[in-house]
Amino acid sequence: MGIRTGNEYINALKSRQPEIWLGGEKVTDVVNHDVFRQPVKEIAKLYDLQHDPEYQDRITHICSETGERANNSFLLPRTAEDIKARSEAFEVHARATFGLMGRTPDFLNTVVTNMAGNPWFLDKYNPDWSKNLIEYYNYIKKNDLFLTHAIINPQNDRSKASYEQEDLFTHLGVVEEKPDGLIVRGAKMLATLAPITDEVIIYSFPGFQPGDERYALAFAVPVDTPGLKLLCREQMQDGTRSVFDHPLASRFEEMDAVLAFEDVLVPWNRVFMYNNVEAANLLYSKTGINQQPAHQSGVRGYVKLEFATEVACKLADSIGVDQYLNVQTDLGELVQNVETIRALLRVAEQEYETMPTGEVRPAAAPLETIRGMLPKMYPRAIEVMQIIGAGGLLMSPTAADFENQELRSHLDKYYAGREGVSAEERVHLFKLAWDLCGEAFGQRLLQYERYYTGDPIRKRAIFYNQYKRNKQFTSVEQALAASPPLKKQVTKAK
Ligand SMILES: Cc1cc2nc3c(=O)[nH]c(=O)nc-3n(C[C@H](O)[C@H](O)[C@H](O)COP(=O)(O)OP(=O)(O)OC[C@H]3O[C@@H](n4cnc5c(N)ncnc54)[C@H](O)[C@@H]3O)c2cc1C
Ligand SMILES: O=C(O)Cc1ccc(O)c(O)c1
């Protein structure tokens, strides 16, 4: 099949009946549901880009093994050109949603591509696992499927291991082996966009302890597998709000769902790992899924930060406050943050690492630095937006107000911006900003940036410990060596 169109993606959604719960009710027609209709269209547009002559060669390639066209996110990079091709695809996808949708199909494509591209790792433990993963990769590539993932256990008692939680199957674990597969029970905390995907893949960040064997597993199943419940969080838009009043929230909400497995059968050919704490803890670092997906996330985060910065700049300009030094320095700071992330991305792409397998990976340290900095830079952009927009952010009239002829002339006068900015333009811009910095939609976007890549605090600590392991701090030794040792009598206590 190769690359799908938006319609093919939508038809696949229509052909399934996953068990989706939202607001106490089952969602039976996700494609036409108020909350999901627009996000489905946004994802469909990404699939259509693959067929757009302007984009096709920038985001897809002909697979040398199958002869079929595939998205560049399915390309295991082996050259600098491959890295560039992936970067371009990531950026095209991100720009289509202003970086606001984090888990577009390209993200998990990179994850599975890397797991399957490093079969040596699972081979060591069980050759069936790597075989299954390669077959799965070929399957999702051939059918251009959309995956979500859930890697974090539910937030019950974080001070205890999975096996120590009150119920043995609060965290997702294996109940028993059957001739045709594993029976799994329990939950994973969060899978973004799950209700509008084709498949879910389960694996974990490192952190399992001896005793956690039943939870140390990786597998993938179709999203409508019997027994799998998708428990959605409360929606942040109801699908009926006007696009004028909510230019972003009305289009780009990514629903998040807890995945609850109620004795789900995972066929053996979909089991990628099981009952192995060591393998589960090493999967992330050894197969490069700590690194290659961070390239996608970095590009996407860069586009989002740049977007938020541009919104803040336009906001300031529209009411003439960017004449003031304090506003200029705040905006300058945001622009410098964008440039910092752009520079880190370029360094990561140019100073790539070549693995013994021939795979090339954008450099780890700059990618990890992006992961550490975005959780601070994005909230800062939002804060600056709030400070610059000030009370005006709260005071926007609605599209319905503008459409009322009795009100219109008053609005045109009282809501106009600086010279040359009409009331409608100013209000529209402020509404866009409010979606980002005031609405629940925007708060989720902020929380996403803080946490999508795990806990930034622990991640930075791990980063430092790795840095310390690899560094000798030789410059300090050299600087100290330049001064002769003190004479004994000088250091002696008087
Ligand atoms: C909008 C959004 C979308 C997401 N999408 C996905 C997704 O699609 N798939 C997915 O798998 N995950 C997703 N995540 C989940 C994300 O991976 C987790 O939120 C992240 O790993 C942090 O875990 P937590 O939220 O459970 O926080 P916790 O781990 O519970 O941390 C809570 C607080 O306690 C502190 N803390 C906890 N444990 C320790 C410790 N051992 N040492 C020191 N401090 C500690 C943390 O620093 C933090 O301040 C998403 C998250 C968000 C917010
Ligand atoms: O986007 C992120 O940084 C989070 C994340 C999730 C799953 C992965 O496999 C991964 O490498 C990174």
Coordinates of all heavy atoms in Angstrom, one line a residue, residues 103 148-153 155 158 189-192 205 256 444 447-448 451-455 457-458, ligand 1:
R103 N 2.1 14.4 19.1 CA 2.2 13.0 18.8 C 1.6 12.7 17.4 O 0.8 11.7 17.3 CB 1.5 12.1 19.9 CG 2.1 12.3 21.2 CD 3.6 11.9 21.2 NE 4.2 11.8 22.5 CZ 5.4 12.0 22.8 NH1 6.3 12.3 21.9 NH2 5.9 11.9 24.0
T148 N -0.2 5.3 18.8 CA 0.0 6.0 20.0 C 0.8 5.1 20.9 O 1.0 3.9 20.6 CB -1.3 6.4 20.7 OG1 -0.9 7.3 21.8 CG2 -2.1 5.2 21.2
H149 N 1.4 5.7 22.0 CA 2.2 4.8 22.9 C 1.9 5.2 24.3 O 1.5 6.3 24.6 CB 3.7 4.9 22.6 CG 4.3 6.2 23.1 ND1 3.6 7.4 23.0 CD2 5.5 6.5 23.6 CE1 4.4 8.4 23.5 NE2 5.6 7.9 23.8
A150 N 2.0 4.2 25.2 CA 1.8 4.5 26.6 C 3.0 3.8 27.3 O 3.1 2.6 27.3 CB 0.5 3.9 27.1
I151 N 3.8 4.6 27.9 CA 5.1 4.0 28.5 C 5.1 4.2 30.0 O 6.0 3.7 30.7 CB 6.3 4.6 27.8 CG1 6.4 6.1 27.9 CG2 6.4 4.2 26.4 CD1 7.6 6.7 27.2
I152 N 4.2 5.1 30.6 CA 4.3 5.4 32.0 C 3.2 4.7 32.8 O 2.1 4.6 32.3 CB 4.1 6.9 32.2 CG1 5.2 7.7 31.3 CG2 4.2 7.4 33.6 CD1 6.6 7.5 31.8
N153 N 3.6 4.2 33.9 CA 2.6 3.5 34.8 C 1.7 4.6 35.4 O 2.1 5.7 35.6 CB 3.2 2.7 35.8 CG 3.9 1.4 35.2 OD1 3.3 0.8 34.4 ND2 5.1 1.2 35.6
Q155 N -0.3 7.0 38.0 CA 0.3 7.8 39.1 C -0.4 7.4 40.4 O -1.2 8.1 40.9 CB 0.2 9.2 38.9 CG 1.2 10.1 39.5 CD 0.9 11.6 39.1 OE1 -0.2 12.0 38.9 NE2 2.0 12.4 38.9
R158 N 3.9 6.6 43.8 CA 5.2 6.6 43.1 C 6.4 6.2 44.0 O 7.5 6.0 43.5 CB 5.5 8.1 42.6 CG 4.7 8.5 41.4 CD 5.3 7.9 40.1 NE 4.6 8.3 38.9 CZ 3.9 7.6 38.1 NH1 3.6 6.3 38.4 NH2 3.4 8.1 37.0
M189 N -0.6 5.0 32.1 CA -1.2 6.3 32.4 C -1.7 7.2 31.3 O -2.7 7.8 31.4 CB -0.1 7.2 33.2 CG -0.6 8.5 33.7 SD 0.5 9.2 34.8 CE 1.1 10.6 33.9
L190 N -1.1 7.1 30.2 CA -1.4 8.2 29.2 C -1.0 7.8 27.8 O 0.2 7.5 27.6 CB -0.7 9.5 29.7 CG -1.3 10.8 29.4 CD1 -0.5 11.9 30.1 CD2 -1.4 11.1 28.0
A191 N -2.0 7.9 26.9 CA -1.6 7.8 25.5 C -2.3 8.9 24.7 O -3.5 8.9 24.6 CB -2.1 6.4 25.0
T192 N -1.5 9.8 24.3 CA -2.0 11.0 23.6 C -2.6 10.6 22.2 O -2.0 9.7 21.5 CB -0.9 12.0 23.4 OG1 -0.5 12.5 24.7 CG2 -1.3 13.2 22.5
F205 N 9.8 3.5 29.9 CA 11.0 4.1 30.3 C 11.7 3.2 31.3 O 11.1 2.4 32.0 CB 10.7 5.5 31.0 CG 10.6 6.6 30.1 CD1 9.8 7.7 30.5 CD2 11.1 6.7 28.8 CE1 9.7 8.8 29.7 CE2 11.0 7.8 28.0 CZ 10.2 8.8 28.4
D256 N -6.0 13.0 25.4 CA -5.2 12.1 26.1 C -6.1 11.0 26.8 O -7.2 11.4 27.3 CB -4.3 12.8 27.2 CG -3.6 14.0 26.6 OD1 -2.6 13.8 25.9 OD2 -3.9 15.1 27.0
R444 N -2.8 22.8 28.8 CA -2.3 21.4 28.5 C -1.1 21.5 27.6 O -0.2 20.7 27.8 CB -3.5 20.6 27.8 CG -3.0 19.2 27.4 CD -3.7 18.6 26.3 NE -3.1 17.4 25.9 CZ -2.1 17.3 24.9 NH1 -1.8 18.4 24.3 NH2 -1.6 16.2 24.6
Q447 N 1.7 22.0 29.9 CA 2.0 20.8 30.7 C 2.7 19.8 29.8 O 3.6 19.0 30.2 CB 0.7 20.3 31.3 CG 0.9 19.4 32.5 CD 1.4 20.1 33.7 OE1 1.9 21.2 33.7 NE2 1.4 19.4 34.8
Y448 N 2.2 19.7 28.6 CA 2.8 18.8 27.6 C 4.3 19.1 27.5 O 5.2 18.2 27.6 CB 2.1 18.9 26.2 CG 2.7 17.9 25.2 CD1 2.2 16.7 25.1 CD2 3.8 18.3 24.4 CE1 2.7 15.8 24.2 CE2 4.3 17.4 23.5 CZ 3.7 16.1 23.4 OH 4.3 15.2 22.5
Y451 N 6.3 17.9 30.4 CA 6.4 16.5 30.8 C 6.4 15.4 29.7 O 6.5 14.3 30.0 CB 5.2 16.2 31.8 CG 5.5 16.7 33.1 CD1 4.7 17.8 33.6 CD2 6.5 16.3 33.9 CE1 5.0 18.3 34.9 CE2 6.8 16.8 35.1 CZ 6.0 17.8 35.6 OH 6.3 18.4 36.8
Y452 N 6.2 15.9 28.4 CA 6.0 14.8 27.4 C 7.2 13.9 27.3 O 7.1 12.8 26.9 CB 5.8 15.5 26.0 CG 7.0 16.0 25.4 CD1 7.8 15.2 24.6 CD2 7.4 17.3 25.6 CE1 9.0 15.8 24.0 CE2 8.5 17.9 25.1 CZ 9.3 17.1 24.3 OH 10.5 17.6 23.7
T453 N 8.4 14.4 27.7 CA 9.6 13.6 27.6 C 10.0 13.0 28.9 O 11.2 12.6 29.1 CB 10.7 14.4 26.9 OG1 11.8 13.6 26.6 CG2 11.2 15.6 27.8
G454 N 9.1 12.9 29.8 CA 9.4 12.4 31.2 C 9.6 13.5 32.1 O 9.4 14.7 31.8
D455 N 10.0 13.2 33.3 CA 10.2 14.2 34.4 C 11.5 15.0 34.1 O 12.6 14.4 34.1 CB 10.3 13.5 35.7 CG 10.6 14.4 36.9 OD1 10.6 15.6 36.7 OD2 11.0 13.9 38.0
I457 N 13.2 17.0 35.7 CA 14.2 17.1 36.9 C 15.1 15.8 36.9 O 16.3 15.9 36.9 CB 13.4 17.2 38.2 CG1 12.6 18.5 38.2 CG2 14.3 17.1 39.4 CD1 11.6 18.7 39.3
R458 N 14.4 14.7 36.8 CA 15.3 13.5 36.8 C 16.1 13.3 35.6 O 17.2 12.9 35.6 CB 14.4 12.2 37.1 CG 14.1 12.0 38.5 CD 13.0 10.9 38.7 NE 11.7 11.5 38.5 CZ 10.7 10.7 38.3 NH1 10.8 9.4 38.3 NH2 9.5 11.2 38.1
Ligands
LIG1 C1 0.0 16.4 28.0 C2 0.8 15.2 28.2 C3 0.8 14.2 27.2 C4 1.6 13.0 27.4 N1 1.6 12.1 26.4 C5 2.1 10.9 26.7 C6 2.0 9.8 25.8 O1 1.4 9.9 24.7 N2 2.5 8.6 26.1 C7 3.1 8.4 27.3 O2 3.5 7.3 27.6 N3 3.2 9.4 28.2 C8 2.7 10.6 27.9 N4 2.9 11.6 28.8 C9 3.2 11.2 30.2 C10 4.6 11.6 30.5 O3 5.5 10.7 30.0 C11 4.6 11.7 32.1 O4 3.8 12.8 32.4 C12 6.0 12.0 32.5 O5 6.8 10.9 32.3 C13 6.1 12.4 34.0 O6 5.5 11.4 34.8 P1 4.3 11.7 35.8 O7 3.4 12.7 35.1 O8 3.7 10.4 36.1 O9 4.9 12.4 37.0 P2 5.6 11.7 38.3 O10 6.6 10.8 37.9 O11 4.4 11.1 39.1 O12 6.2 12.9 39.0 C14 5.4 13.8 39.8 C15 6.3 14.8 40.6 O13 7.1 14.0 41.5 C16 8.5 14.1 41.3 N5 9.1 12.7 41.4 C17 8.4 11.6 41.1 N6 9.2 10.5 41.3 C18 10.4 11.0 41.6 C19 11.7 10.4 41.9 N7 11.9 9.1 41.9 N8 12.7 11.2 42.2 C20 12.5 12.6 42.3 N9 11.4 13.2 42.0 C21 10.3 12.4 41.7 C22 8.6 14.6 39.9 O14 9.8 15.4 39.7 C23 7.4 15.5 39.7 O15 7.6 16.8 40.2 C24 2.2 12.8 28.6 C25 2.2 13.8 29.6 C26 1.5 15.0 29.4 C27 1.5 16.0 30.5

